[in-house]
Structures are given as C-alpha cells and as structure tokens.
C-alpha cells in the first residue's frame, strides 16, 4: 500500500512543509495552560495546535460550526488529497475514509455536559450534541470533499493507526475503493490535561525523552491530525510503501536503516524499548516535536515518509541518550530504503509499521 | 470465500437472549417505559434492559455488560469456549455511548472544584468495547471499536467480513452494544426526533424514535476454520456495502443516493440481484426523514412487493447496537423461516410507496438484507444468506 499524499496539523503548523521546517528547527517548548483547579499557580504543559493554524478562509464557511477536532481532521484530509495530486472521480465513490481517534471530540462532549448542568435536560444545544458524536469529523470530510465511499470512524487506545492500515489494505484488496484516506486525530482540552496529570507523569520542563526507557516515563499531552491518501496503485508522486505488522518478540524485527522509537510516556513502562535499537541501526524519535498522543504513530509515519521521500535523516529533537544508542544527531542527506516505526502499545503488543522507499 | 455465521447472541428490552426476543416478536410485546436508569424529567418512553445480570459490577461500563451478555450467548450458540488463545481472532464492535467520557458526576465535580475522583475515567479507559472484549477472551487478532453512530454495529460486521476474507483473522466477533444514557437522550430530544409515544416506524403519523439499549453479536468464521473445528452452519454473511451521503451532519440525503449505493454494493458483494432477497430488516427509526428516504429507496430497488419490517418497535433505537442486533434478528429470521410484524405501523404514509408487514409472515428464500443509516450520513447494508443447496457463489 502506497502513501500518495499527506496532510498534517500539529503544534508546529499545517502541511508537510511546516513539518520539514519543524524537524530542522528542533525542539521548542510547549505552551503552558492554566489549570482549572482552585490553585491558581498550577500550569500544565501541552503541545496545542494554534488557532491560526486552522483558520483557513477558503473552507471555513463550509465548516463554520465545526469544533477544533473536526477542523483539524478536515484540513489534514483535504491537504492529503491535494498533496497526492489525485483527481477523484466523485461519481464512482472510489475513495473510502478511515478516521481513528483515541478520545474523540471530548471538548465538545464536555461543552454539552455544561449545557445539561447549566440549563437542564430539555434546554441543550442540538448543534453541540451533533458535534460531540465521534463521526462528525468524518462526516465533514466526506461532505467537504464530496467523498461517497465507505466511511468508518474508529476509537482505539491501542494501535489506532495500525488497525486503520490493516483495514485500509483489506478494503483496497477487495476493491471496495481505489483510494483510502486514513487519518488520526485527537484534541487536547482542560479536562484531558487534568486527567493526564492524574494518570501520567508530566514532564514539567515540557520535554519528552524518548530514549530514557524509563519504567515511569514523562509525557506532555499533544494534539493534532494526520491524514494519508493511500492506494495500491504505484503513483508517480508517492512518498513510500507502508506495511503494518504485530510483533511479539523484538528480536524478530527486520533490520532497517532507521528505527523510530515511538516512546512518548503515554503507554506506561518503556524499559522494553531497550532492545529495539541495535547499535548498527540509526535510532530516531520525534514525539518531543508533537507531544504525547495515543495516535503518535501517525506522526512518526509522516516523519518517516518525509525522510524516505527527501532522503534526509532528521536530527532527533531531544537527544538525551543514557543507553548510548546510535541516535540521529544531525540533519543530513542519506540513502534511506526502509524505516521501522516501533510502538509498545498499552495492550502489551509491539506495533511495527514498516515504510519502504 | 464463504464466511459462516456460527453463533448469534442478543439482548435488548425485548429479551435477554434470542429465544426471548422471538417470544416478544410473536406476542408483539413492547417493553417500553419511563427512564429508570438516571434522573431526568424528559417525558420520552425508552426501552431499557431489565436484567439483574447487567451492571452487577460497578467498575464496568453498562455497555460492556450488555456486550458480554450477548457474547456469552453467541459463544454458546457457536459451541466455543471463552478463551481464544492461539486462535487468530478479531473483535470488531460498534458503539456510541461507550466511546465517550461523558460521566456527568465526574465532570460536575471537576468543574466545581478543579479536581475529581478518577473512578469514572478508569471505567472509561478500561471500557473501550472491542479492546475490553478482546482482553476478556484473550483474542490475539485485530480489534476495532467502530463509532459510526447508528450504523456502528452494521459497519463493525462489515469490517469483520473484510478481515476474514483477507486472512487477517480466522474467526471474528462482530456486532454492537450501547447503553441508554442521559447524553443521547438529551441530545436526540434537542434535535426534536424523540417521540412522546411508542414509536411507529413507517407509519403515516410517526412522530420520532424511542431510545433503547442492548447488544447484538455474531460469531463469524471462515469456511475452513469452521470445517476444521467441525462446526456446521447454514447461515452466511454474504455481503456488505457502505456509502457516505456527503450531505449533512444529521439529516439523510433526501434523494437516498447514499443508501442506494450501499444497498447495491452489498448485493453485488453477495453476487445476487434484488429479486433474490426475501425480506429486508429496515433501519426504520420512525423519524420522518429516515423512514421516508428508506421507504422510497426500498421500493426503487426491490419493488412494491418487498417484505420489510423494522424491529425498533420492539427494541427502541439502540444506536451503536442497532446494526448488530438487527443483523442477529435477520439471521435468526432466515433460520426460523418467519419475520415478525413491524410493530407500531397502522396507516400507510402517502409519501412512502411501500408498507411494512403487519403480521407475522412466513418467508421462503435464501437471502435477507439489513440496512443501517446514521448521523454523519453513513449508510450500511448487510446481506445474510441461508444455504439451501444451489445458489450463486460470491
């Protein structure tokens, strides 16, 4: 399965070019959000997407009621289609959509709960309710891009992008559609940041350290959206081939030019990442650019696809290296044929996503 | 590749298992009442599951309890144990409520004090439907929780079909589950599509839907896997089709072209024609727009004589569970050879060119269709078949 186009919205901006710039710039400290608690001096770090990133006047009229979750999804999906250069035949319903999220539009859900608490069961907003439904974002994408193929929104805590890739491959093989827009989106909010603070160890300096392999790692919540336009066709402008797999034993991971270690503090104990970075393979890890997310694999796949297309190794944004790994320490041209993205998920499985030039 | 349905399980207000559902269907029993699961002054009747076995454990989401109940029945029907270690097993389940962290008490406390007990969050984090079910049966294959609103259950079955056909797994647990919850009750009420009376799908005087809750689960197996374990079944999941309206967040596309596309794709997927279909278990929510669009499209594709019904008169609209439950009812009806009356229907709507069946009806055919339409413009159609010797082979 080939990645023909990519759209990305992250704390560092919109589009694949903004990602290239961010990767060259390296780590930038996240914003600090004031806690909702009674203690006015509590601040939470979070890699939030800036308002101006999703203020696109060319499409804003059509999605003016959409919340941040849907806007991030719509813009990344649209950018992926444009980036692919593929002209969609809308009559043939030849494009499918698979949108994965861990937590869905929870900010809007809480806004709806505000309605119930403040105004009572009979005086709530129907618009807020309809946007609190998980598949609102996919609905906006299909409406805006006039995509009329199969559309599935999935919610997963373990392996959302991995599961989406497996399903997309099945759809393409069965010829249910010619292209599949695969995307991931998650959003931050005050409540979720509070929950992260309660459930996870937050890095107060805002720095995720992917190579510390700690038993109690630090994280910093992030948000954003990534979409891939995928196809079995060997299109001219493609980034790379993408293949998902489960691995139970890290010794069996096929040797690549680069292993991307997806540790971001979201899935607990990271000690078992130690054997995923052999000395003769470059190790990379880019979660400090984006923040910690259940959907972080989608962002790492995007970095990998960009490296394969541009034949550039991007320096790791945070280079703390207590285990003396063969880290990518500077950005430079390189011959790269294959990258493995490795994620220990919360179900104690190792997800491997292999990207091949 | 043939995909067999080897186990069926279902729970709703109409019954705690498939046998009880058949009894309710025969007696046209409609177990609706006022909301008892939470406090609300909203006057809409609902279809609640009354079973002491549901929600016994306070640390488990009610949706998960419903799913586990239907799963237990389906596994028993399939002759399977609750341990799938070493078997390539996929779990694909649809839901809506269980995907949201919408605990009002948790949120109210957080809002008032800036802090709250994490029990509701823990319940939510352990309650991702497919992941929780996969953990409970030690399933090692793919697992996906589909959140396509009201077509979630049907789409989950469609996803499982794709997995099985592509060798991603050998056996799949598929369907949907959803609990009655204050958030959708308030939301659907605000949208003006809840009825103050018992719902009447496709009726001229229909005034909206009644919410319900439940779970419907199918055990699906490749032909080779079921043969190897010596399980025979006459029921097959023959086809699935899905299409997006690309129209509106809450309303169906008025020309029904999304539903038409889903239906035609499912028939093509099953390699059959509309004439091969002996009945349709329609989505039939009893809202004005849904029933009109669906009725017109059923007539367009299947003709005036099509036998169809909506089972939502017995179960209420169970949202993410609906597609799973209705697939379970469709498969059971094919196996039993009869379909129930479409509860609540009295007068034909002049804007709908067909009328559902009004009494228990014998059916004699090999293929049946179950349709699902959803918020967001999702349309899904499933074809289920009963093997009767010579028939088209997908």
């Amino acid at each position: 399965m080939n990645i023909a186009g990519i759209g990305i919205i992250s704390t560092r901006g919109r589009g694949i070019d903004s990602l290239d710039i961010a990767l060259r710039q390296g780590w930038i400290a996240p914003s600090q959000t004031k806690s909702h608690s009674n203690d006015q001096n509590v601040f939470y770090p979070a890699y939030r997407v800036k308002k101006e990133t999703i203020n696109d006047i060319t499409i804003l009229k059509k999605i003016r009621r959409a919340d941040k979750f849907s806007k991030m999804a719509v813009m990344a999906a649209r950018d992926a289609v444009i980036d692919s250069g593929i002209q969609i035949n809308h009559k043939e319903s030849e494009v499918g959509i698979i949108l994965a999220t861990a937590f869905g539009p929870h900010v809007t859900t809480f806004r709806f709960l505000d309605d119930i608490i403040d105004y009572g069961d009979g005086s709530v907003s129907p618009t807020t309710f309809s946007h609190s439904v998980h598949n609102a974002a996919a609905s906006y994408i299909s409406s805006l891009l006039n995509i009329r193929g199969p559309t599935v929104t999935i919610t997963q805590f373990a392996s959302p992008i991995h599961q989406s890739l497996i399903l997309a491959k099945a759809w393409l093989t069965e010829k249910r559609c010619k292209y599949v827009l695969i995307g991931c989106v998650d959003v931050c909010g005050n409540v979720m940041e509070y929950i992260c603070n309660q459930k996870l160890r937050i890095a107060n300096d805002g720095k995720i350290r992917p190579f510390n392999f700690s038993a109690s790692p630090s994280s910093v919540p992030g948000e954003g959206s990534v979409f891939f336009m995928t196809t079995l066709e060997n299109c001219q402008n493609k980034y790379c081939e993408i293949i998902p797999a489960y691995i139970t034993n890290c010794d069996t991971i096929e040797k690549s030019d680069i292993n991307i270690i997806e540790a971001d503090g979201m899935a607990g104990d990271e000690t078992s990442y130690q054997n995923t970075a052999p000395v003769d393979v470059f190790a990379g890890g880019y979660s400090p650019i984006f923040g910690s997310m259940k959907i972080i694999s989608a962002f790492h796949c995007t970095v990998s696809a960009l490296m394969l297309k541009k034949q550039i190794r991007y320096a790791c944004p945070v280079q703390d290296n207590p285990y003396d790994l063969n880290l990518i320490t500077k950005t430079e041209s390189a011959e790269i044929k294959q990258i493995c993205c490795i994620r220990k998920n919360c179900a104690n499985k190792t997800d491997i996503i292999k990207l091949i030039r | 590749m043939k995909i067999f349905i080897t186990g069926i399980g279902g729970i709703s207000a109409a019954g705690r298992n498939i046998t009880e559902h058949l009894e309710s269907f025969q007696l046209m029993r409609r177990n609706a009442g006022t909301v008892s699961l939470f406090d609300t002054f909203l006057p809409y009747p609902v279809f609640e599951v009354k079973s002491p076995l549901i929600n016994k454990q306070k640390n488990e989401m009610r949706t998960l309890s419903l799913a586990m109940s239907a799963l237990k029945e389906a596994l028993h029907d399939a002759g399977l144990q609750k341990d799938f270690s070493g078997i390539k097993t996929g779990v694909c389940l649809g839901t809506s409520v269980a995907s949201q962290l919408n605990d009002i008490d948790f949120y109210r406390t957080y809002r008032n004090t800036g802090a709250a007990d994490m029990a509701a969050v823990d319940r939510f984090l352990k309650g991702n439907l497919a992941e929780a079910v996969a953990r409970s049966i030690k399933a090692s294959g793919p697992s996906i929780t589909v959140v396509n609103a009201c077509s979630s259950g049907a789409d989950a079955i469609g996803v499982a079909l794709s997995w099985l056909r592509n060798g991603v797994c050998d056996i799949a647990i598929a369907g949907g589950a959803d609990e009655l919850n204050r958030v959708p009750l308030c939301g659907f009420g605000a949208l003006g599509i809840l009825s103050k009376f018992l719902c009447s799908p496709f009726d001229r005087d229909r005034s909206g839907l009644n919410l319900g809750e439940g779970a419907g689960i199918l055990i699906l197996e490749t032909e080779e896997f079921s043969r190897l374990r010596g399980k025979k079944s006459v029921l097959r999941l023959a086809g699935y089709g899905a299409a997006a309206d690309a129209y509106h967040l809450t309303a169906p596309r008025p020309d029904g072209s999304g539903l038409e596309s889903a239906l035609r794709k499912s028939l093509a997927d099953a390699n059959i024609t509309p004439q091969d279909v002996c009945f349709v278990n329609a989505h039939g929510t009893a809202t004005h727009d849904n029933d009109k669009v669906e009725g017109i499209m059923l007539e367009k594709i299947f003709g005036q004589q099509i036998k169809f019904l909506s089972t939502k008169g017995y179960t209420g609209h169970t949202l993410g569970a609906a597609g799973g439950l209705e697939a379970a009812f469709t498969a059971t009806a094919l196996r039993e050879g009869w379909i129930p009356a479409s509860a609540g229907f009295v007068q034909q709507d002049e804007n709908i060119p067909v009328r559902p069946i009004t009494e228990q009806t014998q059916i004699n055919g090999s293929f049946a269709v179950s349709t699902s339409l959803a918020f967001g413009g999702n349309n899904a159609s499933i074809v289920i078949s009963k093997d009767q010797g010579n028939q088209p082979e997908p």
Side-chain angles (χ1 to χ4, degrees):
Chain A
M1 188 163 61
N2 298 312
I3 297 177
I6 298 176
I8 179 169
I9 304 276
S10 79
T11 188
R12 302 293 285 274
R14 174 180 176 185
I16 202 77
D17 292 338
S18 76
L19 176 65
D20 178 59
I21 293 165
L23 290 164
R24 289 174 191 277
Q25 282 177 335
W27 182 75
I28 292 177
S31 61
Q32 298 277 337
T33 313
K34 202 171 183 180
S35 152
H36 188 71
S37 74
N38 293 332
D39 183 348
Q40 296 299 304
N41 297 317
V42 177
F43 288 84
Y44 298 143
Y47 290 92
R48 290 203 177 206
V49 171
K50 297 170 192 78
K51 264 187 187 170
E52 56 268 29
T53 304
I54 49 171
N55 274 344
D56 182 340
I57 53 165
T58 60
I59 55 171
L60 221 51
K61 194 180 170 193
K62 290 179 180 168
I63 58 170
R64 62 193 179 280
R65 291 196 182 93
D67 58 9
K68 190 177 189 181
F69 182 86
S70 288
K71 280 179 183 165
M72 290 194 299
V74 166
M75 288 178 192
R78 184 170 180 262
D79 290 350
V81 174
I82 292 168
D83 187 44
S84 74
I86 291 167
Q87 296 299 313
I88 299 171
N89 179 349
H90 296 290
K91 285 183 186 163
E92 303 258 330
S93 65
E94 59 181 12
V95 184
I97 301 170
I98 301 172
L99 187 153
T101 176
F103 300 110
H106 52 84
V107 175
T108 306
T109 301
F110 294 128
R111 217 165 66 230
F112 189 68
L113 297 188
D114 281 331
D115 273 10
I116 294 176
I117 294 167
D118 293 335
Y119 308 116
D121 290 7
S123 305
V124 293
S125 158
T127 306
T128 308
F129 173 67
S130 53
H131 286 82
S132 75
V133 178
H134 273 57
N135 66 330
S139 174
Y140 271 117
I141 294 168
S142 76
S143 295
L144 192 87
L145 303 180
N146 195 18
I147 288 174
R148 304 189 65 180
T151 300
V152 168
T153 300
I154 70 174
T155 171
Q156 296 294 128
F157 299 140
S159 328
I161 183 72
H162 199 267
Q163 301 286 359
S164 305
L165 290 167
I166 291 169
L167 179 59
K169 176 84 184 294
W171 278 4
L172 292 168
T173 306
E174 286 180 288
K175 296 187 169 52
R176 287 193 184 275
C177 34
K178 203 167 160 188
Y179 310 102
V180 182
L181 257 177
I182 305 169
C184 286
V185 56
D186 259 320
V187 67
C188 271
N190 288 337
V191 187
M192 196 53 75
E193 282 161 18
Y194 168 73
I195 291 169
C196 287
N197 249 277
Q198 297 298 303
K199 307 293 293 182
L200 304 168
R201 193 172 148 218
I202 301 298
N204 291 325
D205 64 355
K207 224 174 226 184
I208 299 163
R209 292 172 170 82
F211 313 112
N212 273 14
F213 305 145
S214 166
S216 55
S218 297
S219 63
V220 179
E223 65 180 0
S225 176
V226 168
F227 267 82
F228 302 123
M229 183 73 159
T230 60
T231 178
L232 293 181
E233 289 180 354
N234 196 9
C235 41
Q236 290 264 313
N237 195 32
K238 76 173 183 181
Y239 283 79
C240 58
E241 190 183 348
I242 184 164
I243 304 165
Y246 291 121
I247 301 283
T248 48
N249 179 356
C250 283
D251 296 340
T252 60
I253 296 173
E254 197 181 323
K255 197 170 170 187
S256 291
D257 298 308
I258 300 170
N259 282 356
I260 304 275
I261 293 163
E262 300 203 46
D264 67 349
M266 275 296 257
D269 188 347
E270 292 178 347
T271 51
S272 62
Y273 273 107
Q274 280 180 48
N275 54 356
T276 61
V279 285
D280 56 343
V281 173
F282 278 106
Y286 302 90
S287 41
I289 294 277
F290 309 109
S292 308
M293 288 177 271
K294 298 278 189 190
I295 57 166
I296 192 70
S297 293
F299 292 85
H300 279 128
C301 287
T302 306
V303 174
S304 305
L306 193 60
M307 289 204 275
L308 286 163
K309 189 168 186 179
K310 287 186 174 273
Q311 291 292 286
I312 290 174
R313 276 194 300 258
Y314 291 106
C316 298
V318 172
Q319 299 186 0
D320 296 26
N321 189 10
Y323 291 91
D324 206 18
L325 308 181
N326 186 13
L327 282 197
I328 305 172
T329 53
K330 59 180 179 180
T331 298
E332 61 188 356
S333 297
E335 192 184 334
I336 313 167
K337 288 180 184 156
Q338 181 172 308
I339 300 174
C340 266
C341 294
I342 302 165
R343 175 126 178 116
K344 308 278 185 183
N345 71 33
C346 52
N348 293 323
K349 281 182 186 167
T350 305
D351 297 333
I352 304 287
I353 299 176
K354 203 161 68 177
L355 297 101
I356 303 167
R357 189 184 180 189
Chain B
M1 180 192 283
K2 286 183 177 178
I3 304 301
F4 285 98
I5 300 170
T6 57
I8 302 171
I11 181 168
S12 77
R16 290 166 296 184
N17 52 50
I18 293 296
T19 305
E20 285 188 10
H21 278 96
L22 292 177
E23 273 173 33
S24 291
F25 293 161
Q26 280 173 325
L27 299 170
M28 292 194 73
R29 201 160 48 205
R30 308 182 74 186
N31 298 324
T34 53
V35 177
S36 71
L37 288 170
F38 48 88
D39 292 331
T40 182
F41 67 84
L42 294 177
Y44 311 110
V46 294
F47 287 81
E48 288 180 354
V49 172
K50 308 285 187 194
S51 168
L53 298 174
I54 300 303
N55 229 19
K56 265 171 67 178
Q57 296 170 319
K58 271 202 150 182
N59 62 352
E60 183 173 283
M61 291 185 85
R62 185 174 171 84
T63 300
L64 183 56
S65 302
L66 292 163
M68 294 310 290
S69 172
L71 175 65
K72 189 177 173 188
E73 184 189 10
L75 290 177
H76 183 262
D77 190 30
L80 288 162
Q81 302 296 314
K82 212 182 147 186
D83 185 342
F84 285 75
S85 308
I87 302 170
K88 223 160 63 172
T89 308
V91 179
C92 194
L93 297 170
T95 190
S96 61
V97 174
S99 65
Q100 291 184 326
L101 177 54
N102 64 8
D103 190 292
I104 294 180
D105 291 335
F106 160 80
Y107 181 64
R108 186 187 281 115
T109 310
Y110 168 78
R111 212 176 74 142
N112 291 343
T113 67
D117 184 74
M118 286 287 115
V121 174
D122 291 337
R123 205 160 45 236
F124 168 72
L125 292 174
K126 286 179 195 159
N128 180 289
L129 197 57
E131 290 177 5
V133 168
R135 266 196 310 273
S136 77
I137 60 167
K138 301 185 178 73
S140 59
S143 78
I144 280 184
T145 302
V146 174
V147 280
N148 269 14
C150 310
S151 67
S152 300
D155 287 314
I157 291 169
V159 167
L161 180 64
S162 289
W163 284 346
L164 290 159
R165 282 179 178 167
N166 283 276
V168 177
C169 55
D170 297 322
I171 183 165
I173 287 149
D178 241 329
E179 67 194 69
L180 188 74
N181 182 281
R182 194 169 163 191
V183 168
L185 187 77
C186 296
F188 280 91
L191 285 163
I193 54 173
L194 291 181
S195 177
K196 290 179 181 169
F197 310 101
L198 279 181
C199 65
S200 45
F202 298 103
D203 187 77
R204 183 191 65 186
D205 299 323
R206 65 192 180 279
S207 55
L209 59 88
N210 304 144
L211 284 178
E213 61 177 357
I217 285 181
L218 304 180
I219 308 295
L220 305 171
E221 301 180 39
T222 61
E223 183 176 21
E224 189 184 1
F225 186 80
S226 62
R227 185 172 47 77
L228 282 173
R229 76 179 187 95
K231 178 68 181 177
K232 287 182 182 164
S233 175
V234 294
L235 296 170
R236 284 195 297 122
L237 178 58
Y240 162 73
D245 275 349
Y247 175 70
H248 191 267
L249 203 52
T250 56
R253 186 177 270 274
D255 66 5
S257 56
L259 176 59
E260 179 177 10
S261 174
L263 273 162
R264 293 200 188 281
K265 282 179 188 175
S266 69
L267 298 176
D269 196 36
N271 198 23
I272 60 171
T273 67
Q275 289 68 43
D276 294 317
V277 173
C278 65
F279 77 92
V280 176
N281 189 348
H283 190 58
T285 57
T287 60
H288 181 269
D289 288 352
N290 176 90
D291 290 10
K292 185 180 168 195
V293 167
E294 198 174 11
I296 289 169
M297 204 43 63
L298 290 178
E299 193 268 346
K300 182 179 177 185
I301 293 175
F302 298 101
Q304 277 258 317
Q305 301 309 312
I306 184 65
K307 293 188 179 95
F308 74 99
L309 74 154
S310 166
T311 50
K312 289 191 173 65
Y314 299 99
T315 62
H317 191 346
T318 58
L319 304 180
L325 262 174
E326 288 156 24
F329 298 154
T330 305
T332 304
L334 271 176
R335 185 165 68 188
E336 298 292 318
W338 61 272
I339 48 175
S342 196
F345 178 84
V346 180
Q347 291 273 356
Q348 185 164 0
D349 183 336
E350 62 183 20
N351 296 310
I352 301 176
V354 285
R355 48 187 292 142
I357 56 162
T358 52
E359 57 188 24
Q360 190 176 314
T361 302
Q362 298 298 308
I363 48 158
N364 186 16
S366 297
F367 294 92
V369 166
S370 179
T371 53
S372 294
L373 289 76
F375 260 30
N378 284 68
N379 302 276
S381 172
I382 284 170
V383 180
I384 293 174
S385 75
K386 180 182 171 186
D387 279 343
Q388 290 179 333
N390 296 331
Q391 60 182 358
E393 178 59 38

